[in-house]
Amino acid sequence: MAVANNPYSRFVQFAKVLLPILALGLLSTMFLFSRSVDIDSQLPIYEGAEEIAREQSLAAPKFSGVTSDGSTVSVTAESAKPNLSDPRLLSAKNVMADIKTATGTQIMVLADNAEYNGNEDTLDLRGRVRINTSTGYQLNTEALVADMAETGLVSPGRVIGRGPAGDLEAGQMELTGSNGAQVLVFKGGVKLIYQPQN
């Protein structure tokens, strides 16, 4: 093979050999003089990430349905978390239940905490439980069980508040529904301070 005598051809042949050697030299220098990097100290790690991944929760959930006697029930909460052993059990915080009966009565229940039992279709409200009805009742208690299948509320403990007739206090309260009509019953040492309307 004839060797080219012009300077350009000689430069090209020289570059074909020299450039790959220079590239290999640069690569080997990078590997020889590279320092190890502690990845754990370089990346910021959020300490609560494992807890978030382990605990599933719902933000601002809303549940609604219709009871057997025709009442509509809407339940909202700030947050809710399912039970890991039974997915039909759900705990919620800052709960509001809005019940509209077939006869037009509205019942609003607010509670700090609640436990929903899907097996029994009940909502167990705890903490500061406040009950307001469109018929004029404003009641407070520490525990209230709501039947989500039928329109029913049961407070097993002390209830205090105000009704259409005046201030009242009772050991227990129960709201039951029959044929679309709701009956509110107070039991256990009922005290009523009658205040006639003007």
Side-chain angles (χ1 to χ4, degrees), residues 18-184:
L18 183 62
L19 289 179
I21 292 173
L22 285 175
L24 284 173
L26 287 173
L27 283 173
S28 62
T29 306
M30 287 173 52
F31 286 112
L32 286 173
F33 294 106
S34 65
R35 56 188 177 94
S36 61
V37 177
D38 186 2
I39 296 176
D40 293 334
S41 65
Q42 297 295 322
L43 297 176
I45 303 296
Y46 176 60
E47 293 179 356
E50 291 182 7
E51 183 179 348
I52 291 173
R54 186 172 57 252
E55 293 186 6
Q56 299 178 0
S57 62
L58 302 170
K62 183 176 182 179
F63 312 95
S64 58
V66 179
T67 63
S68 60
D69 61 356
S71 299
T72 60
V73 181
S74 176
V75 180
T76 58
E78 180 183 301
S79 63
K81 185 169 62 172
N83 189 304
L84 295 177
S85 59
D86 188 349
R88 291 186 62 81
L89 301 178
L90 194 72
S91 60
K93 291 183 179 180
N94 295 328
V95 180
M96 181 179 73
D98 185 9
I99 304 169
K100 292 185 177 73
T101 68
T103 57
T105 303
Q106 183 172 9
I107 304 165
M108 186 79 68
V109 181
L110 303 171
D112 293 337
N113 302 293
E115 299 283 339
Y116 174 70
N117 188 333
N119 301 310
E120 300 177 3
D121 212 4
T122 57
L123 187 66
D124 189 359
L125 300 124
R126 300 283 175 177
R128 289 183 311 136
V129 182
R130 290 139 300 179
I131 307 157
N132 295 315
T133 72
S134 58
T135 54
Y137 286 95
Q138 298 176 356
L139 306 170
N140 296 282
T141 186
E142 292 183 357
L144 185 73
V145 179
D147 189 343
M148 305 298 283
E150 301 176 2
T151 306
L153 298 173
V154 176
S155 176
R158 181 170 172 257
V159 177
I160 59 172
R162 176 182 290 272
D167 296 336
L168 62 89
E169 180 180 339
Q172 294 178 326
M173 181 203 75
E174 185 175 354
L175 174 81
T176 58
S178 177
N179 298 324
Q182 280 66 42
V183 178
L184 189 60

